[in-house]
Amino acid sequence: MPDATVSATFDVYRFDPAKDAKPRYDRYTLELAPHTPILSGLLRIRAELDPSLALRYSCRSAICGSCAMQVNSKSRLACETPIGPELARHGRIVVEPMRNQPVLRDLVVDQEPFWRHYEQIEPHLILDPRRPMPEGTPNPMSPEEVERFRETPRCIACGACFSACPAVEADPAFPGPMALAKLYRFVVDPRDQAHQDRLVRIQPGGLWTCLRCHLCTEACPKDVRPSERIRDLKELAVRALGGTEPGSRHAVGFKNNIRDRGLLEESKLVRQTSGLAGVASQIGQGLRLYRKKPEILRAPHRIEGYDEVEKIYETLDSDGEGGP
Ligand code: SF4
Ligand code: SF4
Ligand code: FES
């Protein structure tokens, strides 16, 4: 017996920069089974209702990464997202192109920014010519070493994380979650001879721009968890290089600040992050903050129950999880 169908309303983003002054949304309604993938719905729209709709897809099996798009404002693979839960939650299916990349037509974007950042991290092993890989021997890595980058090979380069990332939106120079997750994969590979150099190069304007919002991890269809790999990269950068620029100094300062008294001493954190010159440049903002929160200049004191804070730090230090 065929599955029961539901009436599915699609509001699809339409824009042809060569012809249209601005984007519009076209509405299409189809009878579909609830388990129908959104991509199948869009292909039926194109076959039966509007052959002019442009979209990108290939495998229809969540493997090639071609069909990433915004579905009800979330980055999704259209071929693995069924219509039923979207209709139950939103009453309709709003389909838009991926964000943070220019629209070529309708749901098709120009992925040049995504791939440019990927190429810039040099996504290949960099070997030291003075220490060539031993010829004729098996891979010299231990299972534990391979385990360190277990998640990153799952990446299918769909760009869903790049589309979801607010740091990319705010600063197009930010490499984005996928490029940074790939970078992590090479930084922890013991065969790669450019660990330190990679960390030095990625820090200014790169690593520390991440807002730790985890939207990339939520969007990733392959559980690469890019935000966790970025956290690991930050830790590796501080361990290898110390507090060499504002992002890493802020991280180290934040940790030590809380450790001292159990609460954040904001004026001290500005000093630790930006030095005296930074403090001078922030005086106006500091005065505004003081008017709202005069307690920021109160004499520092330890919070009640500080013993518990100390125990947390001791446990983290003994587990090697204490971070920078
Ligand atoms: S956690 Fe960082 S990289 Fe991931 S989406 Fe947020 S800002 Fe972007
Ligand atoms: S990390 Fe995940 S979301 Fe980002 S490109 Fe790879 S598979 Fe897609
Ligand atoms: S069509 Fe290949 S991942 Fe969706």
Side-chain angles (χ1 to χ4, degrees):
M1 204 169 92
D3 287 346
T5 60
V6 291
S7 178
T9 299
F10 289 77
D11 285 329
V12 183
Y13 179 100
R14 305 300 306 273
F15 182 52
D16 182 347
K19 285 199 279 189
D20 302 328
K22 58 179 184 172
R24 65 179 195 279
Y25 289 81
D26 284 350
R27 175 162 285 191
Y28 308 95
T29 303
L30 292 169
E31 289 296 316
L32 296 168
H35 65 259
T36 307
I38 283 165
L39 177 61
S40 303
L42 293 171
L43 293 176
R44 269 200 51 196
I45 289 170
R46 199 167 72 167
E48 298 171 19
L49 303 175
D50 188 344
S52 69
L53 176 63
L55 69 156
R56 185 184 276 142
Y57 71 101
S58 179
C59 69
R60 301 182 69 174
S61 307
I63 294 169
C64 73
S66 299
C67 68
M69 54 187 76
Q70 296 291 123
V71 174
N72 288 325
S73 299
K74 300 272 185 195
S75 293
R76 297 278 180 261
L77 290 184
C79 69
E80 71 159 10
T81 307
I83 62 160
E86 295 298 322
L87 289 172
R89 187 140 186 235
H90 302 279
R92 63 186 179 138
I93 299 165
V94 180
V95 188
E96 296 165 305
M98 281 198 286
R99 295 181 183 147
N100 298 330
Q101 295 151 98
V103 174
L104 292 175
R105 213 181 100 195
D106 298 339
L107 302 174
V108 180
V109 297
D110 178 357
Q111 292 190 288
E112 190 277 335
F114 174 75
W115 288 112
R116 174 165 34 85
H117 285 302
Y118 176 66
E119 281 164 21
Q120 280 170 352
I121 61 123
E122 296 190 76
H124 51 84
L125 282 178
I126 298 176
L127 301 176
D128 183 344
R130 291 164 304 177
R131 296 167 58 194
M133 296 264 279
E135 266 184 47
T137 58
N139 186 332
M141 293 172 71
S142 68
E144 293 74 30
E145 286 166 339
V146 175
E147 182 69 11
R148 289 191 76 187
F149 55 83
R150 178 168 44 100
E151 291 98 355
T152 43
R154 294 184 204 139
C155 176
I156 56 172
C158 65
C161 56
F162 194 83
S163 174
C165 177
V168 172
E169 187 178 351
D171 179 2
F174 177 61
M178 178 270 210
L180 289 172
K182 290 280 182 183
L183 179 72
Y184 166 83
R185 178 249 174 277
F186 291 102
V187 167
V188 297
D189 189 319
R191 298 167 300 175
D192 192 89
Q193 302 297 318
H195 302 175
Q196 186 108 344
D197 188 44
R198 288 182 190 274
L199 290 171
V200 168
R201 278 190 284 136
I202 200 61
Q203 285 213 89
L207 197 50
W208 298 95
T209 308
C210 170
L211 307 165
R212 304 183 299 278
C213 65
H214 301 292
L215 289 173
C216 52
T217 291
E218 188 198 301
C220 178
K222 296 296 173 189
D223 202 27
V224 173
R225 287 180 261 156
S227 55
E228 294 178 22
R229 303 294 73 79
I230 294 169
R231 177 207 58 202
D232 295 342
L233 265 182
K234 286 176 175 172
E235 190 171 331
L236 288 165
V238 173
R239 283 191 197 282
L241 308 170
T244 48
E245 48 81 61
S248 50
R249 283 200 297 276
H250 184 82
V252 175
F254 201 101
K255 176 192 163 193
N256 295 338
N257 205 309
I258 299 279
R259 173 171 236 157
D260 284 350
R261 298 184 181 84
L263 49 74
L264 194 62
E265 207 185 315
E266 289 164 86
S267 54
K268 187 171 169 188
L269 185 60
V270 174
R271 244 180 9 257
Q272 289 167 325
T273 303
S274 311
L276 285 177
V279 173
S281 72
Q282 306 258 333
I283 282 178
Q285 198 179 345
L287 286 173
R288 283 194 292 281
L289 183 61
Y290 173 69
R291 274 186 218 115
K292 281 191 195 153
K293 289 171 71 180
E295 65 272 18
I296 63 168
L297 289 186
R298 249 184 234 149
H301 63 281
R302 285 194 165 175
I303 58 164
E304 205 175 311
Y306 174 77
D307 298 357
E308 296 302 315
V309 176
E310 230 171 6
K311 277 186 210 153
I312 291 170
Y313 273 83
E314 276 165 19
T315 307
L316 290 173
D317 285 346
S318 63
D319 290 350
E321 300 277 338

